[in-house]
Amino acid sequence: MIDAIIIFIFVLAFAGVGFDIVQVLPGEIQGQVSNIQALRWLAAGFSSIIGLAMGLVAQTTYRRLEQRIRNTPIEVIITRAIGLVLGLLLANLMLAPIFLLPIPSEFSFLKPMLAILGSVIFAVLGVSLADTHGRTFLRLINPNSIESMLVAEGTLKPVATKILDTSCIIDGRIQQLLDTGFIEGQILVPQFILQELQQLADATNDQKRVRGRRGLDILNQMQERYPDTIVIHPEEYEDVATVDAKLLHLAHDINATLITNDFNLSKVASLQKILILNINDLAQAIRPIYLPGDYIDLKILKNGKEPSQGIGYLDDGTMVVVEDANDHVGEELRVTVTSALQTSAGRMIFAKTNSSTVNQY
């Protein structure tokens, strides 16, 4: 629609100019014309053709300018506008004394020329400085302005909301992750998860009751420490049968990330294209990697299968088989790693004793 309006305005403007331009012809030329009205309409017709061509050029230029503005980041537009205004203001302030100087009438044309030249120079200078230091200027005004603008235009992605499931709350390691700051964004605890924790806490089975009460205690502690981060979500999904299905529905509806320790739930969520953060996978990924020649301070807990072997365990439960350590059960040794083996049951590390660093417990 705007394209047709631009072209129509140019055609109409040029046609009007062509219709009225006959009046500026010398009187003797107008006297030679037998039908002055027909000449006016003829000139308007030719001028409208020129206006059509100029309108098409203007319409194409407008579309190119519009596309360029759309592709320009919003913070660049803002800073350039500010730089342009400041440049023009500075040009007027600096050129004002020149206009007060007594200039001979023969050189009076210098004033408007200096005004135009100075305005153009300072306007270009302001825009150039805005391109160079615009982001720093915006950050001084509002430290979060750049990030907000980049998120709005899609350059940066906002932090996804997280949803906790029951197993992750009872596990307790999520609280340690919050304390270290590795978990960002808002964390939702659905109402149906609270109900499941309450049912566990009220169960007749001692083990379930302990787990439920532990989960409620951990959740209360997290909410006291991080009241703005931990939020109770009221969604119920009464038409959905299981808690896992409700979690998946909620994560899908709000495009959230699901934090869980449940292996099967992780697989189902992955099939439904729901982002998963599995605490067990994280713990597995950050376990220390021991290479041959590394030293480990280890307590020998029992004898191994071979007569000369002793067995110890790392903090993450990894079994360490130590040669020539059968006589050091109950002692702490500094052992040297010889090799590591990954099995279906987990990881095993093989080591040998270093007799010079034996400390009796």
Side-chain angles (χ1 to χ4, degrees):
M1 184 64 181
I2 188 66
D3 298 336
I5 293 176
I6 293 174
I7 296 174
F8 177 75
I9 290 175
F10 270 85
V11 171
L12 187 62
F14 274 78
V17 170
F19 188 84
D20 294 333
I21 200 172
V22 178
Q23 296 179 357
V24 302
L25 294 176
E28 54 273 14
I29 295 178
Q30 294 187 27
Q32 297 176 4
V33 178
S34 59
N35 191 343
I36 194 69
Q37 194 68 19
L39 180 61
R40 287 181 175 179
W41 285 108
L42 182 63
F46 277 109
S47 299
S48 62
I49 295 175
I50 298 175
L52 176 62
M54 297 299 296
L56 291 174
V57 173
Q59 178 265 336
T60 304
T61 304
Y62 166 77
R63 285 302 179 187
R64 289 179 179 175
L65 182 62
E66 181 187 36
Q67 185 65 32
R68 186 169 181 177
I69 292 175
R70 286 183 177 180
N71 294 334
T72 302
I74 184 63
E75 73 271 12
V76 174
I77 296 176
I78 293 176
T79 53
R80 284 180 176 177
I82 295 174
L84 178 63
V85 171
L86 293 178
L88 292 175
L89 180 61
L90 185 61
N92 282 277
L93 292 175
M94 295 187 66
L95 294 174
I98 298 178
F99 295 150
L100 299 177
L101 295 176
I103 298 178
S105 58
E106 295 82 3
F107 300 98
S108 59
F109 65 92
L110 291 178
K111 289 185 178 181
M113 289 183 61
L114 288 174
I116 296 174
L117 182 61
S119 297
V120 171
I121 291 175
F122 280 93
V124 173
L125 180 61
V127 173
S128 177
L129 289 176
D131 288 341
T132 305
H133 305 290
R135 288 177 177 252
T136 304
F137 174 73
L138 289 179
R139 193 175 292 275
L140 289 175
I141 298 176
N142 182 5
N144 298 322
S145 60
I146 296 296
E147 288 75 9
S148 301
M149 292 176 182
L150 293 178
V151 169
E153 71 180 17
T155 303
L156 293 182
K157 298 297 182 182
V159 178
T161 301
K162 316 295 191 303
I163 300 177
L164 292 181
D165 80 334
T166 308
S167 63
C168 191
I169 296 174
I170 295 174
D171 178 272
R173 286 178 291 179
I174 184 65
Q175 184 176 3
Q176 299 174 4
L177 288 176
L178 285 173
D179 292 339
T180 57
F182 279 98
I183 298 293
E184 293 183 322
Q186 193 176 56
I187 297 179
L188 301 183
V189 179
Q191 186 66 38
F192 51 83
I193 293 295
L194 285 180
Q195 294 176 358
E196 186 179 32
L197 287 174
Q198 184 178 1
Q199 292 174 1
L200 289 174
D202 295 337
T204 56
N205 185 285
D206 292 341
Q207 186 176 5
K208 290 184 178 180
R209 186 165 59 250
V210 170
R211 287 169 55 84
R213 291 178 179 176
R214 169 182 166 82
L216 291 175
D217 291 340
I218 292 174
L219 188 57
N220 285 328
Q221 294 174 10
M222 289 193 299
Q223 197 167 30
E224 289 177 0
R225 292 187 185 181
Y226 309 100
D228 297 331
T229 302
I230 306 298
V231 178
I232 306 300
H233 196 280
E235 189 62 59
E236 286 286 350
Y237 292 105
E238 296 180 355
D239 55 333
V240 181
T242 64
V243 173
D244 287 352
K246 293 179 180 180
L247 281 171
L248 296 176
H249 272 79
L250 179 59
H252 184 271
D253 289 346
I254 65 176
N255 195 26
T257 300
L258 183 60
I259 302 180
T260 182
N261 285 341
D262 192 324
F263 177 79
N264 294 326
L265 180 60
S266 299
K267 291 297 183 182
V268 175
S270 298
L271 291 174
Q272 297 186 16
K273 308 301 180 183
I274 296 174
L275 293 178
I276 290 293
L277 291 179
N278 193 309
I279 303 297
N280 291 332
D281 292 342
L282 176 62
Q284 183 76 14
I286 63 175
R287 287 195 310 175
I289 299 176
Y290 293 102
L291 301 176
D294 291 345
Y295 294 103
I296 303 176
D297 291 327
L298 183 72
K299 183 179 180 180
I300 306 300
L301 298 178
K302 60 181 180 179
N303 292 323
K305 292 183 179 180
E306 300 296 330
S308 62
Q309 290 179 345
I311 303 294
Y313 295 91
L314 300 179
D315 293 338
D316 60 3
T318 301
M319 185 171 69
V320 182
V321 180
V322 184
E323 296 293 336
D324 301 325
N326 59 319
D327 295 332
H328 300 287
V329 175
E331 300 177 9
E332 183 180 1
L333 304 179
R334 170 161 290 187
V335 299
T336 304
V337 176
T338 57
S339 63
L341 176 65
Q342 185 70 40
T343 67
S344 58
R347 185 177 57 160
M348 291 181 59
I349 295 177
F350 295 92
K352 62 181 180 180
T353 60
N354 187 350
S355 58
S356 63
T357 59
V358 176
N359 294 320
Q360 192 77 22
Y361 255 99

